[in-house]
């Protein structure tokens, strides 16, 4: 789940719309990561080589969400995902809420793909996005530190 969470946090740090819909967006992305990693026979650190958007004829996370979001969620073990959110997502399938959550998850990936394309990387992997996510995390920590330093004791 950590890769999915980092992707969402980066998106939130830059204040993009639509805003992800809580943990459900992370769980949906994590299910897509798990499903694509499983079909690609990847595990551990190799999972970072999964493309967010793949060239034609290849599998990527956007395609997994577009074409197989429900089966990805169903096939992901509850112990890998947050069980309560997974069950809520499964129960929401076919509703407007499901469509909104799916749109939010896709928006996170589209945002990453657009940012990476601006840096000359049209088909970024999770690993390719690591530096941008680390920069955002560092900036968030610095902002938090500045806030703490300004507090009255």
């Amino acid at each position: 789940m950590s890769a999915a969470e980092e992707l969402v946090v980066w998106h939130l740090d830059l204040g993009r719309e639509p805003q992800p819909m809580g943990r459900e967006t992370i769980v949906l992305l994590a299910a897509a990561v798990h499903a694509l990693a499983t079909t690609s026979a990847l595990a551990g650190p190799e999972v970072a080589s999964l493309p967010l958007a793949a060239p034609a004829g290849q599998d990527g996370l956007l395609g997994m969400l577009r074409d197989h979001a429900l089966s990805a969620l169903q096939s992901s073990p509850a112990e890998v995902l947050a069980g309560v959110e997974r069950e809520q997502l499964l129960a929401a399938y076919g509703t407007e809420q499901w469509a909104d959550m799916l749109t939010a998850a896709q928006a996170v990936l589209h945002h990453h793909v657009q940012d990476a394309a601006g840096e000359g990387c049209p088909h970024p992997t999770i690993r390719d996005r690591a530096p941008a996510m680390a920069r955002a995390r560092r900036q968030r920590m610095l902002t938090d530190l500045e806030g703490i330093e300004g507090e009255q004791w």
Side-chain angles (χ1 to χ4, degrees):
M1 284 236 320
S2 64
E5 193 162 11
E6 286 292 326
L7 291 166
V8 171
V9 167
W10 178 87
H11 176 80
L12 283 171
D13 281 345
L14 297 178
R16 294 296 291 261
E17 297 292 332
Q19 290 292 316
M21 303 182 74
R23 300 264 315 149
E24 291 85 357
T25 302
I26 295 169
V27 170
L28 197 50
L29 285 169
V33 168
H34 181 268
L36 188 56
T38 300
T39 60
S40 302
L42 299 174
E46 296 172 325
V47 172
S49 67
L50 291 173
L52 304 185
Q58 295 180 18
D59 294 324
L61 292 174
L62 273 168
M64 179 63 70
L65 283 176
R66 182 188 63 239
D67 301 331
H68 308 288
L70 179 61
S71 62
L73 194 58
Q74 290 169 326
S75 67
S76 295
E79 61 273 6
V80 172
L81 302 177
V84 172
E85 288 88 352
R86 178 182 179 267
E87 294 308 314
Q88 289 171 339
L89 282 162
L90 289 170
Y93 181 73
T95 68
E96 187 175 324
Q97 182 184 12
W98 168 267
D100 290 345
M101 288 184 278
L102 186 58
T103 298
Q106 291 169 330
V108 168
L109 295 179
H110 280 295
H111 184 192
H112 278 279
V113 170
Q114 288 173 334
D115 188 68
E119 297 173 2
C121 185
H123 304 290
T125 64
I126 294 170
R127 183 175 291 116
D128 293 333
R129 298 304 299 150
M133 292 185 290
R135 283 191 302 274
R137 190 174 343 130
R138 179 180 182 278
Q139 186 58 50
R140 185 173 55 256
M141 291 169 60
L142 288 172
T143 301
D144 290 347
L145 182 59
E146 288 172 2
I148 292 169
E149 289 174 341
E151 290 179 3
Q152 294 294 323
W153 290 84

